[in-house]
Amino acid sequence: MPPWFPASFCSLYIAMLTSLWLLSLFLPASCAQLLVTCAYKGLCQQALLSSNDVVLQCDHLQAYWYFSSFQGEDPFLVSSLPNIKKLPGGSLQLNKPQPSQTGLYRCEDNNTALVVEYEIDFQDVTMLHITHKGLGQNPLQNQSLSLGREEMVFTHWEPWQDCNRCGVPGERKRLGYCYIQESLENPMPCWLYLGDEKVWSSRLRPEMQVEACLVPCNESEELIQPFFTSDISKLGQSTNNVQLTCPLASIYRPVFWEANNLSLTWKDQLSGKSISTIMDSSNGGSWLQVFQSAIYRCFVQRELMAQFNSKVNVDPLKFLSSENSKQQPEAEETQKENGNSVFKGLNVMMLVGMVLTVLGCLLKQFHFSRRRERNKMFLVK
């Protein structure tokens, strides 16, 4: 770092970088997760997808969470699991839950009294079967399971999500979970039903179905709202691809990507027409792998969430100091004044960017809260 660089600016510069980094970690994670709820002292049964974050609600400040799988083990405090943490209000946050974490989650108060229980089946997202109606692809068919109890395996479909764009052609998706029904008994998610039974069938997998859609925009969707902007390194300098993450996106929400104002669709990807981008199916397109420089934009629930600009990154410190050895001593004072002005400008720009990022996320969270009923899942056993 140049010797004339003011220590106060250095501290502020580092503090702002740290704040932005923390925001990038905390805000998307805290805003994007699916909330699963259940009635007080109820037992709720739910199938979900592995590797996709979720929050199990328990409204008790001194909540204790216990977990037991179906492998015959005794319940234990979930604090011992690295990808699970209790939120301040008592709810339980599961980051990238695995199929092995299928089981019973029990929330108790400080007097060991039951508050709520969840039986969760985290179905393996790596086995996700994806089809597109526009390509004539069919979902999985019902199939019998040979366990001697006349079981039938079928897909329980969630409602269609909203169209991921408005005013222009878009797509919508729905998620389907593997369920088993025995005779006249109530159906159950596959791995909650099977428990520790060692059974394998290619039919025991979740699904995602996609179709084209076109819906009009309403006034609230036509408003220009704050969104996140990021500059990414020019492709080809250090790597031939870059992975972009859309803030607040989730497989449980409508997600849309475009490159240079051209739509990126599941239909093109599943048909093999898309060769410069790959939407990650394991998270419903929340991640985008790109292989060409362009301006990429992503939308969540039809609201512009982020823009990623491909360009060459220039280190301002390196740029400002590169000519230092060539300058005459009498010009050093002028460089110092110019450098101070540049970094003052950088600090102001970063401060404005940080404020806009916070306001943008808070505004998006406000809009999501109005749609909270769409994201809640109520399924009482």
Side-chain angles (χ1 to χ4, degrees):
M1 184 168 294
W4 46 262
F5 188 73
S8 59
F9 286 159
C10 178
S11 300
L12 182 58
Y13 184 76
I14 294 174
M16 288 181 175
L17 283 176
T18 303
S19 299
L20 288 173
W21 176 71
L22 290 174
L23 282 169
S24 68
L25 291 178
F26 173 74
L27 289 177
S30 63
C31 297
Q33 293 162 343
L34 176 72
L35 177 65
V36 181
T37 66
C38 187
Y40 177 61
K41 292 192 175 182
L43 171 62
C44 292
Q45 193 179 86
Q46 183 69 57
L48 298 169
L49 292 173
S50 68
S51 298
N52 286 272
D53 298 350
V54 65
V55 172
L56 305 181
Q57 187 176 38
C58 179
D59 295 327
H60 196 284
L61 296 178
Q62 296 181 321
Y64 291 88
W65 282 92
Y66 294 88
F67 170 74
S68 59
S69 68
F70 295 98
Q71 309 301 321
E73 62 186 9
D74 295 328
F76 60 88
L77 280 171
V78 298
S79 57
S80 60
L81 299 175
N83 67 325
I84 297 181
K85 69 176 181 179
K86 191 181 76 171
L87 299 178
S91 296
L92 194 68
Q93 176 180 296
L94 296 92
N95 297 317
K96 300 186 183 304
Q98 298 305 302
S100 60
Q101 293 177 298
T102 291
L104 178 66
Y105 293 82
R106 178 183 174 90
C107 178
E108 297 180 357
D109 62 20
N110 52 329
N111 294 317
T112 69
L114 173 66
V115 180
V116 67
E117 285 183 305
Y118 297 91
E119 283 186 335
I120 305 295
D121 181 0
F122 289 112
Q123 301 190 1
D124 192 350
V125 75
T126 64
M127 300 291 292
L128 189 67
H129 181 68
I130 306 176
T131 55
H132 198 293
K133 282 190 172 183
L135 298 174
Q137 298 170 337
N138 296 318
L140 298 174
Q141 299 300 308
N142 295 352
Q143 182 176 313
S144 60
L145 192 64
S146 302
L147 292 179
R149 298 193 294 269
E150 298 182 359
E151 301 92 349
M152 180 65 67
V153 184
F154 68 97
T155 297
H156 171 75
W157 291 101
E158 294 291 320
W160 286 98
Q161 296 178 11
D162 290 340
C163 192
N164 58 13
R165 283 305 305 273
C166 67
V168 297
E171 292 178 318
R172 65 175 185 170
K173 66 178 184 290
R174 62 172 178 169
L175 302 175
Y177 299 100
C178 176
Y179 267 67
I180 295 177
Q181 184 167 21
E182 177 187 344
S183 187
L184 300 178
E185 299 294 328
N186 291 329
M188 292 180 62
C190 286
W191 301 107
L192 289 179
Y193 177 90
L194 294 171
D196 57 359
E197 291 195 46
K198 305 298 181 182
V199 179
W200 166 249
S201 169
S202 59
R203 181 57 183 83
L204 301 174
R205 54 196 302 196
E207 298 194 69
M208 184 174 84
Q209 189 178 37
V210 187
E211 69 174 9
C213 58
L214 178 60
V215 298
C217 296
N218 57 42
E219 292 183 1
S220 64
E221 292 166 333
E222 294 173 349
L223 296 176
I224 299 177
Q225 301 174 12
F227 60 91
F228 173 78
T229 303
S230 175
D231 295 328
I232 59 177
S233 300
K234 185 176 180 180
L235 298 175
Q237 287 193 333
S238 59
T239 179
N240 64 350
N241 68 88
V242 174
Q243 179 180 282
L244 308 179
T245 301
C246 186
L248 308 188
S250 165
I251 197 170
Y252 304 111
R253 291 192 179 120
V255 181
F256 174 86
W257 285 93
E258 65 180 20
N260 291 337
N261 297 320
L262 297 177
S263 301
L264 303 178
T265 66
W266 284 106
K267 184 177 181 181
D268 286 345
Q269 179 165 314
L270 294 174
S271 65
K273 292 182 180 179
S274 177
I275 59 175
S276 61
T277 60
I278 298 176
M279 290 184 288
D280 193 328
S281 59
S282 67
N283 49 54
S286 301
W287 296 350
L288 181 71
Q289 201 80 10
V290 302
F291 301 87
Q292 292 182 358
S293 296
I295 297 178
Y296 297 93
R297 300 202 301 172
C298 72
F299 297 75
V300 178
Q301 293 187 272
R302 300 203 287 263
E303 295 179 2
L304 177 59
M305 196 61 61
Q307 177 172 303
F308 303 88
N309 307 314
S310 298
K311 73 173 200 176
V312 179
N313 281 346
V314 178
D315 184 350
L317 293 177
K318 182 178 180 180
F319 175 78
L320 289 172
S321 61
S322 61
E323 299 296 325
N324 187 56
S325 60
K326 301 179 183 178
Q327 295 185 9
Q328 299 297 324
E330 58 269 17
E332 292 183 357
E333 186 64 28
T334 301
Q335 183 190 34
K336 177 178 179 180
E337 294 177 358
N338 292 339
N340 287 344
S341 300
V342 169
F343 280 94
K344 286 180 181 179
L346 284 174
N347 287 327
V348 172
M349 291 174 62
M350 291 186 66
L351 180 60
V352 172
M354 182 173 65
V355 172
L356 288 176
T357 301
V358 174
L359 291 177
C361 184
L362 292 176
L363 185 57
K364 302 300 181 185
Q365 181 66 7
F366 171 75
H367 281 279
F368 288 150
S369 65
R370 293 188 304 171
R371 297 171 176 158
R372 190 174 180 183
E373 295 303 318
R374 298 181 183 177
N375 294 327
K376 288 184 180 180
M377 292 185 176
F378 297 93
L379 187 59
V380 181
K381 182 179 177 182

